[in-house]
Amino acid sequence: MIPMIVILALLVAFLLWLIGIYNSLVRLRNAVKNAWSQIDVQLKRRHDLIPNLVETAKGYMQHERGTLENVTKARNLAAQASGVGDQAKAESGLNQALSSFFVVVENYPDLKANQNFLALQEELTSTENKISFARQAYNDAAMQFNNKIEMFPSNIVAGVFSFKQAEFFEIEEAAERAVPKVSFS
Amino acid sequence: MFELVRANKRRSFAVLVLMLLLLLVLGFVIGSAFVPSLAMTEFDGENVKPHWGFDPTAGMIGMAVAGLVWIFQALLAYFQGDSILLSVSRARAIEKNDHPQLHNVVEEMCIAAGLSKKPDVYIIEDMSMNAFAAGRSPERASIAVTAGLLARLNRDQLQGVVGHEISHIMNRDILFMTIAGVMVGTIIMLSDVFLRSLRHMGGTTRYRSSKKSGGGAQAIILIVALVLAIIAPILAQLLYFACSRRREYLADAGSAIYTRYPEGLASALEVLESNAEPLPSANRATAPMYIVNPLKSSALGLTSTHPPTSERIKVLRSLAGGVSYQAYQAAWAKVSGHGAARMPASALNTAPVAQREAHPDAREPVDAKQRMREAGDLLRKVNQFIFLTCACGMKIKLPPEFKREHVQCPRCQRSLALPVAQIAAVAGVGETLSQETPPRRTIPMAKPKGGLQPLQITCHGKGWTSYKCSCGTVNSFFPAQETQESACKKCGRKVILKTV
């Protein structure tokens, strides 16, 4: 009788332990999802801002149709992207298009003085900052989740319930890509 | 981050307990010194006889009084502290439309710090440069910056300053500084009352105590109370200031981590230091809340609320590579030459984050005049000025007290009509704002009802005349109208009719 109770107690304890691991995995996955939604909000906002920006710039930049089209194209690509990896790639392209656009803007002092354009630029800057700050939080959450999935013993539970690793959101900074680092040392 | 807050709490708690002990001991000693008859006599059922021992009753009463005074003030500070601080500093809430950049920067820092609720944003009507955070918890917090700060800082610098304030909010510094500040205030007040009353009735006390047999003991207690009354306020303030300085460093480190750009805060501090003007609305009690000392500071070292700004800049500038509390700690140790820890140990094992590039805005020279003008316009907007642009390009800004229907352009002498709809809209905005947030609104808005001056209407010839009231209603006079005065049918605003 007593061995039966002991075995039963051990079994219950083991089950509770498994449930604990499973719950912590779910909690971490939700944290990743939540962090991603924070980024998603800002990405959407950026995609909404860009058509306005292009529209404002159009009147001033008759001769830069190619640059503007590139921005619009990159924006549409980014807006359609799904999945963390694809999104990150599309956003990198958009960053690049935008940075070459702002280089061209330097030649149009009238546009640079336009109140509407300045307001849009401020919004865009802020949104980009928010994305980069939110990206930090997302990648932290993703790393914690991935660690839990890979480490023993939680990797067994993760395998049984097929938890998938979260992708990191890495955007290549446009400035880093465009300007080669030169040192004379 | 969470551990940092916890470590902070533990240490704050220790300091508070120390201060509370000081306060209670002071109360006890003052109580004993104040009531010599109670302390020196004993009633044994038949008669009152002199008692050579020490009777703590009076001391206990003194302790209770000290405690009650503190609890009352602390409760007041806890529930009303932020509104009091904001109204004392003459800060006014601004909307996102008033200054999008400031709001954006605050939102960015909230995301970076993981703050769930965006603090209310206030602007202080002063051209000196400073900022502070208020509010007892991250859920109820406010950030206030002066107009001068907005005018002179670029985006990165502003971000550094806002990051510093958000860091204060995240570390629960404001709550601690308020409660501790109130305690220091109570200690100062008690000693003050005691020393003053001693001066007033010094003669009588000495006379009474010398007549009694317990004069010697009483004199000793009196001397102890005297010494304590002089020392306690100084001790409490030193404790308070030490905490305040330590928290400034911690907030600087937090700002560097949130913005990932320590240079922003460093250069902002540099600008702040070179433009150090005292802020008239600040005082000794509110000084530790600000990012730099808002008072005319002369004393350095033990009695200053803030660490020397030049040292803060040096520490921030020597943060090369990654930013973390650990890196900040190392930089601080290098700059100051001390080995002592400034950061809670739990904060030191966090991973460093890479620094980011400067914002393109920062590289462009700031058009100081233009920025000043913008800051001035913001203040006028908050104060409900009416903006008019003349056909000649002249911008005319009219104070809300301006009640005439027309204004002459100072440049081209053209007569401009005041946009009635705009006035109505401004008045409406004022009303809804004061309804939505009555306790947080620091300066009461002019209520449009009844308080408005009568409208002046000029009537050309005799016939039907109609006019639009500031509430938006169109009223009309019929031709036979005899009276010179009428009222709007909707809002009841008085109208004076003039016939030409």
Side-chain angles (χ1 to χ4, degrees):
Chain A
M1 189 64 197
I2 287 173
M4 275 278 280
I5 293 175
V6 168
I7 290 169
L8 212 68
L10 279 177
L11 211 69
V12 167
F14 181 70
L15 264 176
L16 283 178
W17 182 62
L18 279 186
I19 290 170
I21 289 181
Y22 178 80
N23 283 351
S24 71
L25 276 169
V26 171
R27 200 175 302 123
L28 283 173
R29 190 174 60 187
N30 285 343
V32 171
K33 271 187 196 159
N34 179 43
W36 174 252
S37 72
Q38 298 283 339
I39 297 184
D40 213 34
V41 169
Q42 302 302 335
L43 287 178
K44 285 230 167 62
R45 171 143 181 76
R46 184 154 88 139
H47 300 157
D48 292 345
L49 282 169
I50 286 168
N52 288 334
L53 191 79
V54 170
E55 204 53 47
T56 311
K58 231 179 217 164
Y60 293 86
M61 301 166 78
Q62 301 292 351
H63 308 294
E64 311 282 355
R65 192 145 289 168
T67 318
L68 289 177
E69 268 167 16
N70 276 347
V71 172
T72 312
K73 224 183 278 167
R75 180 256 168 205
N76 290 341
L77 222 60
Q80 283 158 9
S82 60
V84 178
D86 284 353
Q87 187 82 62
K89 211 181 279 169
E91 292 301 328
S92 296
L94 182 53
N95 275 356
Q96 213 181 4
L98 273 178
S99 73
S100 53
F101 166 72
F102 280 115
V103 168
V104 175
V105 165
E106 293 296 313
N107 303 330
Y108 294 85
D110 284 352
L111 176 58
K112 275 174 75 188
N114 182 318
Q115 283 299 319
N116 199 10
F117 180 76
L118 283 176
L120 280 170
Q121 201 182 5
E122 161 60 28
E123 285 304 310
L124 202 64
T125 307
S126 176
T127 313
E128 267 162 23
N129 282 350
K130 284 172 194 163
I131 291 170
S132 77
F133 290 133
R135 192 160 58 107
Q136 182 92 29
Y138 170 79
N139 284 343
D140 284 353
M143 174 134 91
Q144 262 189 339
F145 180 58
N146 290 349
N147 280 350
K148 191 85 180 176
I149 284 183
E150 280 177 37
M151 276 192 229
F152 184 82
S154 47
N155 60 348
I156 299 166
V157 181
V160 169
F161 292 98
S162 61
F163 278 87
K164 286 206 188 81
Q165 292 219 353
E167 274 181 277
F168 289 108
F169 189 67
E170 307 281 4
I171 291 184
E172 285 174 68
E173 301 286 336
E176 282 167 21
R177 190 192 273 185
V179 188
K181 290 238 160 71
V182 182
S183 76
F184 295 100
S185 59
Chain B
M1 219 39 236
F2 182 66
E3 275 131 54
L4 185 65
V5 172
R6 228 170 29 195
N8 227 333
K9 264 188 192 159
R10 249 197 322 270
R11 210 177 39 211
S12 317
F13 192 70
V15 170
L16 280 184
V17 166
L18 221 67
M19 275 191 176
L20 189 63
L21 274 180
L22 198 66
L23 178 74
L24 292 181
V25 169
L26 185 72
F28 185 87
V29 173
I30 289 180
S32 309
F34 247 141
V35 198
S37 54
L38 254 180
M40 289 301 122
T41 54
E42 197 177 39
F43 187 63
D44 65 350
E46 286 172 14
N47 51 346
V48 179
K49 60 178 183 182
H51 172 61
W52 291 99
F54 182 68
D55 184 2
T57 317
M60 288 297 184
I61 293 171
M63 217 153 97
V65 168
L68 279 179
V69 169
W70 173 68
I71 286 172
F72 174 72
Q73 293 201 3
L75 283 180
L76 189 73
Y78 184 78
F79 288 109
Q80 289 297 315
D82 52 346
S83 346
I84 292 172
L85 181 60
L86 286 165
S87 69
V88 161
S89 325
R90 284 188 283 123
R92 311 194 53 161
I94 59 166
E95 301 298 314
K96 177 143 189 183
N97 291 339
D98 296 332
H99 202 288
Q101 193 179 60
L102 178 59
H103 272 266
N104 277 338
V105 167
V106 171
E107 282 165 17
E108 285 160 27
M109 287 297 97
C110 286
I111 291 174
L115 191 61
S116 52
K117 189 183 163 293
K118 180 182 163 196
D120 297 333
V121 180
Y122 284 76
I123 183 160
I124 305 166
E125 297 182 40
D126 197 276
M127 285 324 259
S128 69
M129 298 177 70
N130 229 320
F132 69 79
R136 60 172 180 262
S137 69
E139 284 72 41
R140 184 184 162 164
S142 328
I143 284 183
V145 300
T146 61
L149 191 96
L150 284 181
R152 291 203 199 97
L153 295 189
N154 66 31
R155 201 175 200 288
D156 278 338
Q157 292 166 335
L158 189 64
Q159 204 181 38
V161 171
V162 170
H164 177 98
E165 300 308 335
I166 293 276
S167 184
H168 271 315
I169 293 174
M170 292 304 286
N171 297 339
R172 266 78 162 179
D173 285 352
I174 307 131
L175 174 63
F176 170 78
M177 290 324 272
T178 321
I179 302 285
V182 164
M183 201 151 351
V184 173
T186 314
I187 290 176
I188 294 177
M189 198 178 84
L190 278 182
S191 335
D192 236 38
V193 167
F194 174 66
L195 291 175
R196 253 168 225 221
S197 63
L198 217 72
R199 208 173 301 149
H200 273 280
M201 45 177 250
T204 47
T205 318
R206 208 174 300 139
Y207 173 69
R208 257 165 60 200
S209 59
S210 64
K211 244 177 104 179
K212 296 219 162 155
S213 40
Q218 182 60 29
I220 290 170
I221 291 174
L222 205 67
I223 287 167
V224 169
L226 205 70
V227 170
L228 207 65
I230 293 167
I231 287 179
I234 301 171
L235 213 64
Q237 285 188 37
L238 288 185
L239 259 172
Y240 181 60
F241 291 150
C243 264
S244 167
R245 286 197 300 272
R246 186 188 273 260
R247 272 153 197 277
E248 290 302 322
Y249 281 120
L250 196 59
D252 277 0
S255 170
I257 290 164
Y258 297 154
T259 59
R260 292 191 271 135
Y261 187 64
E263 177 57 29
L265 182 59
S267 60
L269 285 174
E270 213 167 49
V271 179
L272 259 72
E273 198 187 22
S274 60
N275 290 293
E277 300 165 35
L279 186 64
S281 58
N283 57 41
R284 275 175 70 84
T286 58
M289 312 289 175
Y290 289 87
I291 183 165
V292 291
N293 193 356
L295 308 173
K296 225 182 229 155
S297 61
S298 52
L300 282 172
L302 283 179
T303 53
S304 59
T305 51
H306 291 70
T309 309
S310 56
E311 191 175 301
R312 288 166 69 187
I313 296 170
K314 254 189 250 163
V315 173
L316 285 168
R317 288 244 157 98
S318 54
L319 280 171
V323 191
S324 66
Y325 286 106
Q326 181 141 37
Y328 189 88
Q329 164 78 51
W332 181 82
K334 203 170 80 188
V335 168
S336 64
H338 290 275
R342 281 290 122 163
M343 306 286 139
S346 58
L348 292 180
N349 48 22
T350 47
V353 286
Q355 293 197 22
R356 68 171 173 86
E357 307 253 319
H359 183 257
D361 244 21
R363 276 177 247 128
E364 284 172 24
V366 179
D367 185 357
K369 227 176 174 178
Q370 175 66 23
R371 297 289 297 275
M372 275 298 192
R373 203 176 292 145
E374 277 170 22
D377 277 357
L378 172 60
L379 281 187
R380 288 192 198 94
K381 208 158 145 194
V382 170
N383 283 327
Q384 311 199 335
F385 273 54
I386 296 154
F387 290 75
L388 278 180
T389 315
C390 178
C392 68
M394 184 82 184
K395 244 190 180 176
I396 303 165
K397 296 143 193 169
L398 299 168
E401 295 86 43
F402 191 87
K403 289 296 178 210
R404 265 176 284 162
E405 290 277 281
H406 291 273
V407 63
Q408 205 173 34
C409 171
R411 192 194 281 166
C412 64
Q413 311 298 321
R414 223 173 293 202
S415 176
L416 296 169
L418 250 66
V420 177
Q422 196 184 338
I423 305 173
V426 166
V429 163
E431 197 179 27
T432 49
L433 272 180
S434 56
Q435 275 170 357
E436 270 171 7
T437 52
R440 314 217 93 187
R441 203 73 201 174
T442 47
I443 299 166
M445 293 289 142
K447 277 267 163 68
K449 250 172 214 168
L452 283 180
Q453 286 188 357
L455 271 177
Q456 302 259 340
I457 298 289
T458 321
C459 186
H460 301 280
K462 289 201 169 180
W464 282 92
T465 311
S466 66
Y467 75 98
K468 203 173 181 187
C469 176
S470 60
C471 68
T473 324
V474 178
N475 299 300
S476 49
F477 295 112
F478 50 92
Q481 179 112 16
E482 289 288 284
T483 44
Q484 292 292 300
E485 267 187 37
S486 177
C488 171
K489 64 189 175 196
K490 194 171 170 212
C491 69
R493 184 172 177 180
K494 273 188 180 170
V495 184
I496 298 168
L497 193 69
K498 260 192 222 160
T499 316
V500 180

